[in-house]
Amino acid sequence: MALLQISEPGLSCAPHQHRLAAGIDLGTTHSLVACVRSGVCETLPDEQGRHLLPSVVHYQTGGGCQVGYEAQIFADADPLNTIASVKRLMGRGLADVKAIGSRLPYDFVEESGMPRLKTAAGLKSPVQTSARILWELKTRAEQSLGGDLTGVVITVPAYFDDAQRQSTKDAATLAGLKVLRLLSEPTAAAIAYGLDKQAKGIYAIYDLGGGTFDISILRLQRGVFEVLATAGDSALGGDDFDREIAHWIMQQAEIPEDAAHTRIRSILTIARQAKEKLTDQESYPIEFEGWCGSLSRSQLEQLLKPLIQKTLPACRRALRDAGLNNQDIQEVVMVGGSTRVPLVRKMVEDFFQRPPHVDIDPDKVVAIGAAIQADILAGNKPDSEMLLLDVTPLSLGLETMGGLVEKIIPRNTPIPTAKAQDFTTFKDGQTAMALHILQGERELVTDCRSLARFELRGLPPMVAGAARIRVTFQIDADGLLSVTAQEQASGIKSEIVVKPSYGLSDNDIEQMLRDALDHANDDVETRNLREQQVEADRVINALRAALKADGHKLLRKDEFNNINAGLDKLLKTTRGKDAGAIAQAIEELNKITQTYAARRMDAAISQAMQGHRVDEF
Ligand code: ADP
Ligand code: MG
């Protein structure tokens, strides 16, 4: 695999010419910007001393907008124009956005095939909304650093696909930022803890935020980080803890379920306060509508335990995908506000059998790692050279005959990567080939996600199977996929880069992986059947062509009928669902046609010796 050197030659400069570079954690609920100054890395606060910027934009009539805390104020009164969680919409097509959008209270419309948010300030894309947040952070950084930013490192989840990464870059460009590099969030966290300074190691990054859970397994080798595997749950986090506690309060205060919805917001606020306080205290007094009680740490832990337990299967899955067990993990890093909960720390420690790193503020750790990386990439540390790798979240492949998917790059392959495979034509004289790129773990095209289609035209006509077409899948360091198809003899070439509108949500990834596991057995059977059917088709086509050319010359009437009967039998079995029967029918037909094949061969030889072509007979 080709490694990518990221500190560009010639970028290094003298210390007094320190280039201003920042790291940005563009989060679902909060974003942060951090910077290395005089060798110290810290997150930058706003004028009121607040480090976190809520990832919220409020659009106003007339075209203006507010960002962050100022925008959040409008969440209740003006929900349609107060855009939160826009990260979940990045790089998504219309269908995806509609599915996610049902959980979000916004008005979506379509504009030239792409989803847009309908706001008082006009139609806004998720990229534009993200750009506003980035612009706010850029302004904050430039004011506090006193100069223009040379470039930034922006973090994205390790499982972000091509479209989501490209959208993040587009948002940065729109905000007037130069992206030195997109960095995966778990890798940033590992860098913040200085794990990159070790000789080598295998690390688990456990990220439990407000609404999402991610586990990533990283490997460090010769200064190179590689994301070996990722897993998680895009709908599990601190918000679920709050709901569980709120439910308990409602039970205690004897509030009927159906009456609760009008008060749910205030109950949730109390629940969240109780949860956060119980991180440091043993008990927390609660008063709600005349009910006075208290929640103890151990009661809280009883409520939260089943939820925290739900994170462990994903940890096991990530380990399995990485081909490791929990003994292999040398260090565990905690990321996200919910990892402050003592029981979370304890259960993670029990699972990995070692105490996790918790010293750096779990809200800031990703931004800090990004800033350290930005400082290096901007050329402020000419001696350091760091190679960072990510993995593909799902397998990428091509459609082949029979509606099957041939996987070219398996899931969890470290990127950047390039893999090539040779294909050939199915029909005589075929001059074009359709290429269909798919993503997913299933065997059938219909069960995978279609990413793009393109054609290779102008192939020199050849007999079936003679052409050699090399298809290369290449994923760059930022996760963008380009696919090239080239006919080897003529050099004719065609290429496509997969475009942003083909997004995919982390929920979809989870679902696709689950489906692949659930259908593993029948998928193998279906694949087997389709392959036999394709082979049968090939045999039938070839035999028919031969019979048409010289069957009546080389075969007696009874031989001809015998072969035709075998052909009919194969045709019939092919329509059935028994792969074994098809294979057997092919073999029988091969036996029946043995004599015929031998005679054709003799005819071809004697004809060649006489300087005649077969069809001149
Ligand atoms: P996200 O990555 O989804 O934006 P964060 O990493 O900011 O989320 O985590 C937010 C979550 O952390 C919220 O559910 C919040 O209640 C929780 N949290 C913050 N501080 C504490 C604390 N002291 N104890 C327990 N949970 C906390
Ligand atoms: Mg987070």
mmCIF file of all heavy atoms in Angstrom, residues 353-398:
data_model
loop_
_atom_site.group_PDB
_atom_site.id
_atom_site.type_symbol
_atom_site.label_atom_id
_atom_site.label_comp_id
_atom_site.label_asym_id
_atom_site.label_seq_id
_atom_site.Cartn_x
_atom_site.Cartn_y
_atom_site.Cartn_z
ATOM 1 N N GLN A 353 -10.032 -4.389 30.857
ATOM 2 C CA GLN A 353 -9.128 -4.799 31.930
ATOM 3 C C GLN A 353 -7.925 -3.882 32.088
ATOM 4 O O GLN A 353 -6.809 -4.337 32.348
ATOM 5 C CB GLN A 353 -8.690 -6.249 31.727
ATOM 6 C CG GLN A 353 -9.871 -7.195 31.930
ATOM 7 C CD GLN A 353 -9.613 -8.566 31.387
ATOM 8 O OE1 GLN A 353 -8.506 -9.079 31.481
ATOM 9 N NE2 GLN A 353 -10.636 -9.165 30.817
ATOM 10 N N ARG A 354 -8.178 -2.592 31.914
ATOM 11 C CA ARG A 354 -7.164 -1.578 32.233
ATOM 12 C C ARG A 354 -7.853 -0.232 32.383
ATOM 13 O O ARG A 354 -8.843 0.032 31.713
ATOM 14 C CB ARG A 354 -6.068 -1.526 31.170
ATOM 15 C CG ARG A 354 -6.596 -1.349 29.775
ATOM 16 C CD ARG A 354 -5.547 -1.550 28.718
ATOM 17 N NE ARG A 354 -4.615 -2.632 28.961
ATOM 18 C CZ ARG A 354 -4.866 -3.921 28.800
ATOM 19 N NH1 ARG A 354 -6.086 -4.316 28.469
ATOM 20 N NH2 ARG A 354 -3.938 -4.815 28.987
ATOM 21 N N PRO A 355 -7.326 0.610 33.303
ATOM 22 C CA PRO A 355 -7.959 1.915 33.511
ATOM 23 C C PRO A 355 -7.801 2.805 32.278
ATOM 24 O O PRO A 355 -6.712 2.869 31.701
ATOM 25 C CB PRO A 355 -7.213 2.507 34.710
ATOM 26 C CG PRO A 355 -5.983 1.690 34.871
ATOM 27 C CD PRO A 355 -6.192 0.375 34.220
ATOM 28 N N PRO A 356 -8.884 3.459 31.833
ATOM 29 C CA PRO A 356 -8.795 4.316 30.639
ATOM 30 C C PRO A 356 -8.157 5.668 30.948
ATOM 31 O O PRO A 356 -8.120 6.102 32.092
ATOM 32 C CB PRO A 356 -10.261 4.505 30.248
ATOM 33 C CG PRO A 356 -11.041 4.316 31.498
ATOM 34 C CD PRO A 356 -10.256 3.370 32.358
ATOM 35 N N HIS A 357 -7.651 6.322 29.891
ATOM 36 C CA HIS A 357 -7.140 7.693 30.015
ATOM 37 C C HIS A 357 -8.309 8.647 30.158
ATOM 38 O O HIS A 357 -9.187 8.674 29.300
ATOM 39 C CB HIS A 357 -6.379 8.086 28.745
ATOM 40 C CG HIS A 357 -5.040 7.458 28.635
ATOM 41 N ND1 HIS A 357 -3.956 7.900 29.346
ATOM 42 C CD2 HIS A 357 -4.602 6.425 27.880
ATOM 43 C CE1 HIS A 357 -2.904 7.171 29.032
ATOM 44 N NE2 HIS A 357 -3.272 6.252 28.150
ATOM 45 N N VAL A 358 -8.301 9.444 31.234
ATOM 46 C CA VAL A 358 -9.395 10.384 31.443
ATOM 47 C C VAL A 358 -8.886 11.783 31.814
ATOM 48 O O VAL A 358 -9.673 12.658 32.144
ATOM 49 C CB VAL A 358 -10.352 9.890 32.560
ATOM 50 C CG1 VAL A 358 -11.065 8.616 32.138
ATOM 51 C CG2 VAL A 358 -9.592 9.653 33.862
ATOM 52 N N ASP A 359 -7.573 12.002 31.760
ATOM 53 C CA ASP A 359 -7.018 13.250 32.281
ATOM 54 C C ASP A 359 -7.397 14.489 31.469
ATOM 55 O O ASP A 359 -7.612 15.551 32.014
ATOM 56 C CB ASP A 359 -5.483 13.162 32.363
ATOM 57 C CG ASP A 359 -5.065 12.073 33.340
ATOM 58 O OD1 ASP A 359 -5.899 11.729 34.204
ATOM 59 O OD2 ASP A 359 -3.933 11.570 33.226
ATOM 60 N N ILE A 360 -7.455 14.357 30.172
ATOM 61 C CA ILE A 360 -7.826 15.521 29.354
ATOM 62 C C ILE A 360 -9.351 15.614 29.312
ATOM 63 O O ILE A 360 -10.035 14.588 29.187
ATOM 64 C CB ILE A 360 -7.260 15.388 27.920
ATOM 65 C CG1 ILE A 360 -5.730 15.214 27.966
ATOM 66 C CG2 ILE A 360 -7.624 16.614 27.082
ATOM 67 C CD1 ILE A 360 -5.092 15.009 26.601
ATOM 68 N N ASP A 361 -9.866 16.832 29.426
ATOM 69 C CA ASP A 361 -11.308 17.082 29.344
ATOM 70 C C ASP A 361 -11.894 16.338 28.128
ATOM 71 O O ASP A 361 -11.496 16.594 26.986
ATOM 72 C CB ASP A 361 -11.498 18.609 29.190
ATOM 73 C CG ASP A 361 -12.963 19.008 29.185
ATOM 74 O OD1 ASP A 361 -13.810 18.159 28.842
ATOM 75 O OD2 ASP A 361 -13.242 20.164 29.522
ATOM 76 N N PRO A 362 -12.818 15.408 28.358
ATOM 77 C CA PRO A 362 -13.307 14.583 27.242
ATOM 78 C C PRO A 362 -14.051 15.382 26.171
ATOM 79 O O PRO A 362 -14.263 14.888 25.065
ATOM 80 C CB PRO A 362 -14.237 13.562 27.913
ATOM 81 C CG PRO A 362 -14.621 14.185 29.206
ATOM 82 C CD PRO A 362 -13.469 15.045 29.625
ATOM 83 N N ASP A 363 -14.455 16.622 26.499
ATOM 84 C CA ASP A 363 -15.079 17.470 25.478
ATOM 85 C C ASP A 363 -14.037 18.080 24.553
ATOM 86 O O ASP A 363 -14.335 18.433 23.420
ATOM 87 C CB ASP A 363 -15.826 18.643 26.135
ATOM 88 C CG ASP A 363 -17.067 18.180 26.868
ATOM 89 O OD1 ASP A 363 -17.698 17.215 26.411
ATOM 90 O OD2 ASP A 363 -17.385 18.796 27.904
ATOM 91 N N LYS A 364 -12.825 18.264 25.076
ATOM 92 C CA LYS A 364 -11.824 19.037 24.332
ATOM 93 C C LYS A 364 -10.768 18.166 23.643
ATOM 94 O O LYS A 364 -10.013 18.657 22.811
ATOM 95 C CB LYS A 364 -11.099 20.001 25.287
ATOM 96 C CG LYS A 364 -12.024 21.041 25.894
ATOM 97 C CD LYS A 364 -11.245 21.948 26.825
ATOM 98 C CE LYS A 364 -12.147 23.018 27.434
ATOM 99 N NZ LYS A 364 -11.449 23.743 28.514
ATOM 100 N N VAL A 365 -10.718 16.900 24.020
ATOM 101 C CA VAL A 365 -9.594 16.059 23.617
ATOM 102 C C VAL A 365 -9.442 15.948 22.090
ATOM 103 O O VAL A 365 -8.327 15.973 21.556
ATOM 104 C CB VAL A 365 -9.681 14.681 24.334
ATOM 105 C CG1 VAL A 365 -10.950 13.951 23.986
ATOM 106 C CG2 VAL A 365 -8.475 13.838 24.060
ATOM 107 N N VAL A 366 -10.568 15.914 21.365
ATOM 108 C CA VAL A 366 -10.504 15.772 19.909
ATOM 109 C C VAL A 366 -9.954 17.052 19.264
ATOM 110 O O VAL A 366 -9.063 16.997 18.403
ATOM 111 C CB VAL A 366 -11.893 15.401 19.340
ATOM 112 C CG1 VAL A 366 -11.938 15.550 17.828
ATOM 113 C CG2 VAL A 366 -12.249 13.963 19.733
ATOM 114 N N ALA A 367 -10.442 18.206 19.724
ATOM 115 C CA ALA A 367 -9.959 19.483 19.174
ATOM 116 C C ALA A 367 -8.466 19.660 19.468
ATOM 117 O O ALA A 367 -7.709 20.153 18.622
ATOM 118 C CB ALA A 367 -10.757 20.641 19.763
ATOM 119 N N ILE A 368 -8.041 19.235 20.645
ATOM 120 C CA ILE A 368 -6.633 19.374 21.017
ATOM 121 C C ILE A 368 -5.741 18.524 20.108
ATOM 122 O O ILE A 368 -4.729 18.996 19.586
ATOM 123 C CB ILE A 368 -6.449 19.019 22.511
ATOM 124 C CG1 ILE A 368 -7.017 20.175 23.348
ATOM 125 C CG2 ILE A 368 -4.976 18.767 22.853
ATOM 126 C CD1 ILE A 368 -7.017 19.942 24.839
ATOM 127 N N GLY A 369 -6.144 17.295 19.872
ATOM 128 C CA GLY A 369 -5.376 16.432 18.966
ATOM 129 C C GLY A 369 -5.315 17.014 17.564
ATOM 130 O O GLY A 369 -4.271 16.985 16.908
ATOM 131 N N ALA A 370 -6.439 17.590 17.117
ATOM 132 C CA ALA A 370 -6.487 18.189 15.776
ATOM 133 C C ALA A 370 -5.516 19.370 15.702
ATOM 134 O O ALA A 370 -4.834 19.556 14.689
ATOM 135 C CB ALA A 370 -7.905 18.640 15.446
ATOM 136 N N ALA A 371 -5.447 20.167 16.774
ATOM 137 C CA ALA A 371 -4.573 21.338 16.779
ATOM 138 C C ALA A 371 -3.101 20.915 16.739
ATOM 139 O O ALA A 371 -2.294 21.527 16.045
ATOM 140 C CB ALA A 371 -4.853 22.190 18.015
ATOM 141 N N ILE A 372 -2.764 19.855 17.480
ATOM 142 C CA ILE A 372 -1.378 19.357 17.470
ATOM 143 C C ILE A 372 -1.004 18.929 16.051
ATOM 144 O O ILE A 372 0.064 19.249 15.532
ATOM 145 C CB ILE A 372 -1.217 18.187 18.464
ATOM 146 C CG1 ILE A 372 -1.440 18.700 19.898
ATOM 147 C CG2 ILE A 372 0.151 17.532 18.319
ATOM 148 C CD1 ILE A 372 -1.489 17.609 20.949
ATOM 149 N N GLN A 373 -1.930 18.233 15.407
ATOM 150 C CA GLN A 373 -1.692 17.780 14.040
ATOM 151 C C GLN A 373 -1.589 18.958 13.079
ATOM 152 O O GLN A 373 -0.735 18.973 12.190
ATOM 153 C CB GLN A 373 -2.822 16.820 13.639
ATOM 154 C CG GLN A 373 -2.689 16.240 12.258
ATOM 155 C CD GLN A 373 -1.518 15.290 12.155
ATOM 156 O OE1 GLN A 373 -0.864 14.983 13.152
ATOM 157 N NE2 GLN A 373 -1.229 14.843 10.958
ATOM 158 N N ALA A 374 -2.440 19.977 13.265
ATOM 159 C CA ALA A 374 -2.424 21.162 12.398
ATOM 160 C C ALA A 374 -1.080 21.879 12.525
ATOM 161 O O ALA A 374 -0.513 22.333 11.525
ATOM 162 C CB ALA A 374 -3.567 22.101 12.771
ATOM 163 N N ASP A 375 -0.583 21.943 13.729
ATOM 164 C CA ASP A 375 0.695 22.607 13.987
ATOM 165 C C ASP A 375 1.818 21.911 13.210
ATOM 166 O O ASP A 375 2.671 22.565 12.610
ATOM 167 C CB ASP A 375 0.965 22.557 15.501
ATOM 168 C CG ASP A 375 2.111 23.472 15.897
ATOM 169 O OD1 ASP A 375 2.109 24.633 15.447
ATOM 170 O OD2 ASP A 375 3.000 23.025 16.641
ATOM 171 N N ILE A 376 1.777 20.599 13.199
ATOM 172 C CA ILE A 376 2.794 19.836 12.463
ATOM 173 C C ILE A 376 2.635 20.046 10.951
ATOM 174 O O ILE A 376 3.593 20.330 10.241
ATOM 175 C CB ILE A 376 2.700 18.338 12.794
ATOM 176 C CG1 ILE A 376 3.023 18.115 14.273
ATOM 177 C CG2 ILE A 376 3.618 17.519 11.895
ATOM 178 C CD1 ILE A 376 2.656 16.734 14.762
ATOM 179 N N LEU A 377 1.386 19.955 10.480
ATOM 180 C CA LEU A 377 1.140 20.062 9.037
ATOM 181 C C LEU A 377 1.452 21.461 8.507
ATOM 182 O O LEU A 377 1.814 21.623 7.348
ATOM 183 C CB LEU A 377 -0.307 19.698 8.717
ATOM 184 C CG LEU A 377 -0.682 18.234 8.906
ATOM 185 C CD1 LEU A 377 -2.138 18.021 8.554
ATOM 186 C CD2 LEU A 377 0.198 17.344 8.048
ATOM 187 N N ALA A 378 1.292 22.471 9.344
ATOM 188 C CA ALA A 378 1.574 23.834 8.898
ATOM 189 C C ALA A 378 3.076 24.062 8.780
ATOM 190 O O ALA A 378 3.516 25.090 8.290
ATOM 191 C CB ALA A 378 0.961 24.840 9.862
ATOM 192 N N GLY A 379 3.851 23.079 9.242
ATOM 193 C CA GLY A 379 5.292 23.175 9.069
ATOM 194 C C GLY A 379 5.998 23.777 10.260
ATOM 195 O O GLY A 379 7.152 24.177 10.178
ATOM 196 N N ASN A 380 5.290 23.852 11.389
ATOM 197 C CA ASN A 380 5.937 24.422 12.569
ATOM 198 C C ASN A 380 6.866 23.435 13.266
ATOM 199 O O ASN A 380 7.628 23.797 14.136
ATOM 200 C CB ASN A 380 4.880 24.932 13.551
ATOM 201 C CG ASN A 380 4.132 26.118 12.957
ATOM 202 O OD1 ASN A 380 4.708 26.904 12.218
ATOM 203 N ND2 ASN A 380 2.860 26.223 13.256
ATOM 204 N N LYS A 381 6.759 22.187 12.910
ATOM 205 C CA LYS A 381 7.646 21.174 13.479
ATOM 206 C C LYS A 381 8.239 20.375 12.341
ATOM 207 O O LYS A 381 7.803 19.265 12.060
ATOM 208 C CB LYS A 381 6.856 20.239 14.398
ATOM 209 C CG LYS A 381 6.494 20.865 15.718
ATOM 210 C CD LYS A 381 5.951 19.807 16.627
ATOM 211 C CE LYS A 381 5.812 20.349 18.028
ATOM 212 N NZ LYS A 381 5.161 19.369 18.873
ATOM 213 N N PRO A 382 9.204 20.951 11.647
ATOM 214 C CA PRO A 382 9.694 20.324 10.416
ATOM 215 C C PRO A 382 10.218 18.908 10.605
ATOM 216 O O PRO A 382 10.221 18.133 9.665
ATOM 217 C CB PRO A 382 10.811 21.275 9.961
ATOM 218 C CG PRO A 382 11.080 22.185 11.092
ATOM 219 C CD PRO A 382 9.878 22.214 11.952
ATOM 220 N N ASP A 383 10.638 18.585 11.816
ATOM 221 C CA ASP A 383 11.208 17.256 12.016
ATOM 222 C C ASP A 383 10.151 16.163 12.151
ATOM 223 O O ASP A 383 10.408 15.008 11.875
ATOM 224 C CB ASP A 383 12.100 17.242 13.263
ATOM 225 C CG ASP A 383 13.270 18.191 13.093
ATOM 226 O OD1 ASP A 383 13.599 18.489 11.928
ATOM 227 O OD2 ASP A 383 13.822 18.633 14.113
ATOM 228 N N SER A 384 8.994 16.548 12.611
ATOM 229 C CA SER A 384 7.992 15.500 12.791
ATOM 230 C C SER A 384 7.354 15.182 11.454
ATOM 231 O O SER A 384 7.140 16.033 10.621
ATOM 232 C CB SER A 384 6.877 15.921 13.739
ATOM 233 O OG SER A 384 7.238 17.022 14.458
ATOM 234 N N GLU A 385 7.061 14.003 11.349
ATOM 235 C CA GLU A 385 6.401 13.567 10.130
ATOM 236 C C GLU A 385 5.444 12.487 10.582
ATOM 237 O O GLU A 385 5.838 11.538 11.240
ATOM 238 C CB GLU A 385 7.448 13.011 9.184
ATOM 239 C CG GLU A 385 6.906 12.500 7.900
ATOM 240 C CD GLU A 385 7.984 11.736 7.168
ATOM 241 O OE1 GLU A 385 9.039 12.335 6.895
ATOM 242 O OE2 GLU A 385 7.766 10.555 6.915
ATOM 243 N N MET A 386 4.218 12.692 10.300
ATOM 244 C CA MET A 386 3.275 11.719 10.824
ATOM 245 C C MET A 386 2.389 11.204 9.708
ATOM 246 O O MET A 386 1.928 11.954 8.870
ATOM 247 C CB MET A 386 2.412 12.388 11.877
ATOM 248 C CG MET A 386 1.910 11.415 12.898
ATOM 249 S SD MET A 386 0.737 12.247 13.905
ATOM 250 C CE MET A 386 1.770 13.350 14.792
ATOM 251 N N LEU A 387 2.194 9.947 9.706
ATOM 252 C CA LEU A 387 1.354 9.344 8.690
ATOM 253 C C LEU A 387 0.107 8.827 9.369
ATOM 254 O O LEU A 387 0.177 8.097 10.346
ATOM 255 C CB LEU A 387 2.088 8.193 8.021
ATOM 256 C CG LEU A 387 3.418 8.585 7.407
ATOM 257 C CD1 LEU A 387 4.208 7.356 7.055
ATOM 258 C CD2 LEU A 387 3.217 9.462 6.197
ATOM 259 N N LEU A 388 -0.999 9.264 8.878
ATOM 260 C CA LEU A 388 -2.244 8.886 9.530
ATOM 261 C C LEU A 388 -3.143 8.165 8.552
ATOM 262 O O LEU A 388 -3.321 8.588 7.434
ATOM 263 C CB LEU A 388 -2.952 10.136 10.040
ATOM 264 C CG LEU A 388 -2.127 10.919 11.052
ATOM 265 C CD1 LEU A 388 -2.739 12.265 11.281
ATOM 266 C CD2 LEU A 388 -2.009 10.146 12.339
ATOM 267 N N LEU A 389 -3.695 7.103 9.013
ATOM 268 C CA LEU A 389 -4.529 6.311 8.121
ATOM 269 C C LEU A 389 -5.904 6.098 8.708
ATOM 270 O O LEU A 389 -6.092 6.058 9.909
ATOM 271 C CB LEU A 389 -3.885 4.949 7.869
ATOM 272 C CG LEU A 389 -2.479 4.994 7.302
ATOM 273 C CD1 LEU A 389 -1.908 3.610 7.233
ATOM 274 C CD2 LEU A 389 -2.478 5.643 5.943
ATOM 275 N N ASP A 390 -6.862 5.959 7.834
ATOM 276 C CA ASP A 390 -8.226 5.646 8.231
ATOM 277 C C ASP A 390 -8.642 4.327 7.599
ATOM 278 O O ASP A 390 -7.874 3.728 6.879
ATOM 279 C CB ASP A 390 -9.166 6.743 7.734
ATOM 280 C CG ASP A 390 -9.268 7.865 8.740
ATOM 281 O OD1 ASP A 390 -9.045 7.594 9.930
ATOM 282 O OD2 ASP A 390 -9.572 8.985 8.339
ATOM 283 N N VAL A 391 -9.869 3.917 7.849
ATOM 284 C CA VAL A 391 -10.349 2.703 7.185
ATOM 285 C C VAL A 391 -11.637 2.979 6.427
ATOM 286 O O VAL A 391 -12.342 3.936 6.711
ATOM 287 C CB VAL A 391 -10.632 1.554 8.182
ATOM 288 C CG1 VAL A 391 -9.366 1.071 8.836
ATOM 289 C CG2 VAL A 391 -11.662 1.971 9.212
ATOM 290 N N THR A 392 -11.948 2.114 5.464
ATOM 291 C CA THR A 392 -13.225 2.187 4.776
ATOM 292 C C THR A 392 -14.288 1.553 5.678
ATOM 293 O O THR A 392 -14.075 0.475 6.219
ATOM 294 C CB THR A 392 -13.187 1.388 3.460
ATOM 295 O OG1 THR A 392 -12.753 0.063 3.761
ATOM 296 C CG2 THR A 392 -12.228 1.993 2.484
ATOM 297 N N PRO A 393 -15.439 2.232 5.847
ATOM 298 C CA PRO A 393 -16.459 1.702 6.756
ATOM 299 C C PRO A 393 -17.217 0.507 6.178
ATOM 300 O O PRO A 393 -17.688 -0.340 6.926
ATOM 301 C CB PRO A 393 -17.404 2.879 6.961
ATOM 302 C CG PRO A 393 -17.227 3.748 5.767
ATOM 303 C CD PRO A 393 -15.818 3.532 5.282
ATOM 304 N N LEU A 394 -17.346 0.450 4.852
ATOM 305 C CA LEU A 394 -18.079 -0.643 4.200
ATOM 306 C C LEU A 394 -17.284 -1.090 2.979
ATOM 307 O O LEU A 394 -16.497 -0.326 2.437
ATOM 308 C CB LEU A 394 -19.457 -0.164 3.733
ATOM 309 C CG LEU A 394 -20.486 0.185 4.812
ATOM 310 C CD1 LEU A 394 -21.664 0.918 4.199
ATOM 311 C CD2 LEU A 394 -20.981 -1.073 5.519
ATOM 312 N N SER A 395 -17.523 -2.341 2.558
ATOM 313 C CA SER A 395 -16.819 -2.836 1.375
ATOM 314 C C SER A 395 -17.269 -2.090 0.124
ATOM 315 O O SER A 395 -18.418 -1.670 0.024
ATOM 316 C CB SER A 395 -17.096 -4.330 1.184
ATOM 317 O OG SER A 395 -16.713 -5.022 2.334
ATOM 318 N N LEU A 396 -16.335 -1.973 -0.827
ATOM 319 C CA LEU A 396 -16.651 -1.342 -2.102
ATOM 320 C C LEU A 396 -16.417 -2.371 -3.193
ATOM 321 O O LEU A 396 -15.438 -3.119 -3.145
ATOM 322 C CB LEU A 396 -15.746 -0.133 -2.323
ATOM 323 C CG LEU A 396 -15.982 1.022 -1.349
ATOM 324 C CD1 LEU A 396 -14.800 1.969 -1.325
ATOM 325 C CD2 LEU A 396 -17.258 1.760 -1.704
ATOM 326 N N GLY A 397 -17.326 -2.424 -4.149
ATOM 327 C CA GLY A 397 -17.181 -3.445 -5.171
ATOM 328 C C GLY A 397 -17.863 -3.077 -6.471
ATOM 329 O O GLY A 397 -18.335 -1.968 -6.654
ATOM 330 N N LEU A 398 -17.893 -4.075 -7.371
ATOM 331 C CA LEU A 398 -18.438 -3.898 -8.711
ATOM 332 C C LEU A 398 -19.514 -4.938 -8.980
ATOM 333 O O LEU A 398 -19.430 -6.062 -8.494
ATOM 334 C CB LEU A 398 -17.345 -4.139 -9.746
ATOM 335 C CG LEU A 398 -16.488 -2.994 -10.231
ATOM 336 C CD1 LEU A 398 -15.625 -3.515 -11.358
ATOM 337 C CD2 LEU A 398 -17.320 -1.816 -10.707
#
